Amino acid sequence: MKARFLHAILLLIGMSICLASAAAYAGNADRDPAEKNSGQSDTVAYTLSQSVERGLSVNPRIRSAESAVRKADSEIANQRGNFFPSFSAQTYTQAISSIDADGPTDEDYVDQQIDVVNLKISQTLFDGLTIFNRHQKAVLNKKVVKARKKRTELRLVLDIQKFFLDLLKAKEDVKSLRDAVHRMEVNVESAKSYYKEKMAPYTQVLQAKVELADIRQKLSQAENKVETTRVQLNILLGFPGYRDISYTGDLEQGHDFTKSLNECLDYAYQHRPEMRIGEKSIDMARKEKKISLGQFSPRLSADADYYYRDNDYDKPGTRMGQTYDRDQQNTYWTVSLRLQWKFGLGGQQFHQHSKASHEIQRLEQDLQATKNQINAEVRTHYMALQEADERIETTQTTVESAREAYARAKKRFDVRMGTVSELLDAQARLSRAEANYNRAIGDYLSSLAKLYHAMGLQNHSLARQKPLPQPGSSS
């Protein structure tokens, strides 16, 4: 007995180990690729491209858009069902009990029980093509919904890229400001040494301390910018705000954007989802106009009925002194063609048709406004990209000059030939030059991301793109 009990315990332990191993394997299979590559689950590393891909897979905006597409599919199936006949079934039982009767007796109202079964098939043969046009409108609506989904994806990609680039810029600012703090701390100590040897007034020490405090304040703000931007990026990627995620990348120009403005505009007109939404919305309005026109047409339908009726009378009938069984059963088919033509004496059909015509005109004007807006966005971001590109070269040269100027000022100060004011000015110019360079790189990458968004093009890593497809090709 003890051996059997021990065997059962060992068997349960073995099964528990197997189940735990299977669960651990399944959990590892479901982990994000970035988490697998990181080698640990607490801190994971994401590049810009990986961040965008994760956001597109888990962000609630995308899941909502996917649900809208599935809803549009259901509406197409619903409208498709109107092409098929409808079937209805009805059955009922009725008991009639006579309370009082004077004069000749109506057999329909003497004591009896009636059982009825009725089956009916109806098929619409013609309805002014409204069924067809409603189905086509549902198909167009799905295309609009898919275009809206693409618009949502483009907006999410831009948001992720924007916060990612802001984070990289903030990290570079922190790095630059920490170097500035270190340089300024050295300058403060040098100013104190000058003051102790009575080679500089104490006001220069105070001035150096003020500059150091100012740089530390800027450093604190930059560090806070890093953390707040990380929180916003975490949320976009479906992580808790407090999760320690390492976003890796360098704030560098990468490559020159070689596409011409006309190429960007042509691509945008062909691939911006807003253009497709506007075009398909106009097509839907035209279908709605045809539906309203169909309201003027007659309706032709065919019906086929199967009818069974059983009358069970409580008492037999009497005729010429003879009794007879009045119970009756009837079974029959009916086939009918029904033509119906409905006229709204208040002019409802006419006004509905007129309303659809005005809607088409409104949507056409909206589409033109959308095209103008796209033109303005592409031009704005293209020019901002060109301006930032020119600024990068200028600020890079300025940083090199400022570093050399600071090194010379520091050397003059160390050999007692320069003043604290000269050193502080050189330090301020170097910090300003580094900040301007970081801003120029950030503005370039941000403008590049915005230009891709304005063109309707997804470039997850902002890497160099292949030649743009010719206008008219599929996106």
Side-chain angles (χ1 to χ4, degrees):
M1 186 68 179
K2 291 183 178 180
R4 290 182 180 179
F5 180 75
L6 182 61
H7 179 73
I9 294 296
L10 293 175
L11 181 61
L12 289 174
I13 293 175
M15 291 177 63
S16 300
I17 294 174
C18 291
L19 290 174
S21 300
Y25 176 79
N28 185 65
D30 293 337
R31 285 174 60 189
D32 189 90
E35 295 187 11
K36 292 181 181 180
N37 296 334
S38 69
Q40 57 183 352
S41 59
D42 292 333
T43 302
V44 295
Y46 278 88
T47 63
L48 176 57
S49 179
Q50 290 173 331
S51 298
V52 172
E53 290 169 2
R54 177 178 171 84
L56 290 174
S57 64
V58 304
N59 192 275
R61 295 190 227 167
I62 304 302
R63 294 184 176 180
S64 174
E66 291 170 348
S67 296
V69 173
R70 291 192 291 270
K71 177 184 175 182
D73 283 329
S74 298
E75 179 60 22
I76 292 176
N78 176 51
Q79 295 299 332
R80 188 187 302 121
N82 292 328
F83 288 104
F84 297 92
S86 61
F87 174 79
S88 62
Q90 176 183 232
T91 182
Y92 66 87
T93 182
Q94 181 181 19
I96 298 178
S97 298
S98 178
I99 299 176
D100 185 29
D102 293 328
T105 302
D106 187 344
E107 291 192 357
D108 288 340
Y109 295 98
V110 297
D111 295 349
Q112 59 181 295
Q113 179 174 330
I114 303 174
D115 297 316
V116 175
V117 175
N118 178 219
L119 305 178
K120 182 177 181 179
I121 296 178
S122 299
Q123 174 66 57
T124 300
L125 302 178
F126 180 77
D127 68 340
L129 297 179
T130 57
I131 293 178
F132 172 78
N133 287 318
R134 285 194 176 100
H135 177 265
Q136 293 300 305
K137 182 180 177 183
V139 173
L140 290 170
N141 179 65
K142 180 183 177 182
K143 294 180 179 179
V144 170
V145 172
K146 291 180 71 174
R148 288 173 179 163
K149 178 176 178 287
K150 182 180 179 182
R151 180 179 62 184
T152 301
E153 290 174 351
L154 287 170
R155 183 70 248 182
L156 179 62
V157 169
L158 179 61
D159 289 343
I160 292 175
Q161 290 174 339
K162 175 181 176 297
F163 284 118
F164 197 99
L165 295 174
D166 287 347
L167 180 61
L168 293 183
K169 179 180 178 300
K171 286 182 176 180
E172 288 297 324
D173 288 341
V174 168
K175 180 180 177 182
S176 177
L177 288 169
R178 283 176 178 170
D179 291 342
V181 167
H182 176 71
R183 291 193 298 265
M184 202 64 231
E185 288 174 342
V186 173
N187 294 341
V188 169
E189 293 302 321
S190 298
K192 288 181 178 179
S193 298
Y194 269 50
Y195 170 70
K196 288 180 180 179
E197 296 178 9
K198 302 187 182 301
M199 296 181 61
Y202 190 68
T203 54
Q204 293 187 352
V205 176
L206 296 176
Q207 183 180 0
K209 287 184 177 181
V210 169
E211 292 291 336
L212 176 59
D214 183 60
I215 296 175
R216 282 175 174 170
Q217 183 178 6
K218 293 179 180 178
L219 174 60
S220 176
Q221 293 172 347
E223 289 173 339
N224 183 66
K225 177 70 173 178
V226 169
E227 295 306 317
T228 55
T229 306
R230 191 196 309 276
V231 168
Q232 292 171 316
L233 196 53
N234 282 357
I235 293 174
L236 283 178
L237 271 57
F239 292 117
Y242 57 82
R243 180 77 179 272
D244 184 15
I245 306 295
S246 175
Y247 297 104
T248 60
D250 296 321
L251 193 69
E252 56 186 16
Q253 183 176 2
H255 69 276
D256 293 330
F257 187 81
T258 58
K259 306 297 185 292
S260 68
L261 177 59
N262 288 334
E263 285 181 303
C264 296
L265 287 171
D266 290 340
Y267 190 91
Y269 294 148
Q270 292 291 325
H271 296 87
R272 271 292 287 268
E274 288 84 350
M275 291 294 296
R276 190 167 183 82
I277 291 171
E279 293 165 354
K280 296 306 175 183
S281 295
I282 292 174
D283 292 339
M284 288 177 62
R286 288 172 179 159
K287 290 296 180 182
E288 184 62 32
K289 183 177 180 180
K290 291 181 179 180
I291 292 172
S292 64
L293 189 62
Q295 302 297 324
F296 293 98
S297 303
R299 303 287 186 273
L300 180 63
S301 62
D303 299 329
D305 283 81
Y306 169 82
Y307 195 86
Y308 169 79
R309 176 171 176 147
D310 179 14
N311 288 64
D312 183 11
Y313 292 90
D314 292 349
K315 298 178 181 179
T318 303
R319 180 181 300 165
M320 300 179 64
Q322 300 288 333
T323 60
Y324 64 93
D325 186 6
R326 292 189 295 185
D327 292 349
Q328 181 180 354
Q329 291 183 349
N330 292 320
T331 302
Y332 56 89
W333 286 92
T334 65
V335 178
S336 61
L337 285 176
R338 188 186 307 273
L339 180 65
Q340 182 183 14
W341 206 335
K342 184 178 179 181
F343 298 94
L345 299 181
Q348 293 93 330
Q349 292 97 332
F350 171 79
H351 292 299
Q352 187 174 357
H353 183 266
S354 178
K355 172 185 173 183
S357 299
H358 294 313
E359 179 66 9
I360 293 174
Q361 296 173 5
R362 184 188 70 82
L363 291 173
E364 287 174 343
Q365 295 302 317
D366 285 349
L367 179 60
Q368 183 60 44
T370 299
K371 187 174 182 179
N372 294 339
Q373 180 65 27
I374 291 173
N375 185 295
E377 289 179 7
V378 172
R379 289 180 181 274
T380 299
H381 300 314
Y382 189 89
M383 290 187 291
L385 183 68
Q386 300 300 315
E387 185 274 333
D389 188 25
E390 296 174 359
R391 195 153 31 100
I392 288 173
E393 184 177 356
T394 302
T395 55
Q396 188 174 17
T397 303
T398 303
V399 169
E400 294 173 357
S401 300
R403 285 175 179 168
E404 182 178 357
Y406 176 78
R408 290 178 178 272
K410 185 70 169 64
K411 184 178 295 185
R412 284 171 53 83
F413 184 79
D414 290 341
V415 296
R416 313 295 174 89
M417 295 179 62
T419 65
V420 172
S421 297
E422 291 176 352
L423 185 61
L424 294 179
D425 290 342
Q427 158 65 33
R429 286 191 293 269
L430 176 56
S431 297
R432 186 164 56 251
E434 290 175 339
N436 289 337
Y437 177 73
N438 291 338
R439 187 180 300 110
I441 293 288
D443 289 346
Y444 178 88
L445 294 175
S446 178
S447 296
L448 183 61
K450 292 176 181 177
L451 180 58
Y452 280 131
H453 174 266
M455 294 166 58
L457 176 62
Q458 287 193 25
N459 186 351
H460 296 178
S461 63
L462 298 180
R464 185 186 297 275
Q465 287 284 300
K466 297 178 181 179
L468 297 177
Q470 294 298 320
S473 63
S474 60
S475 56

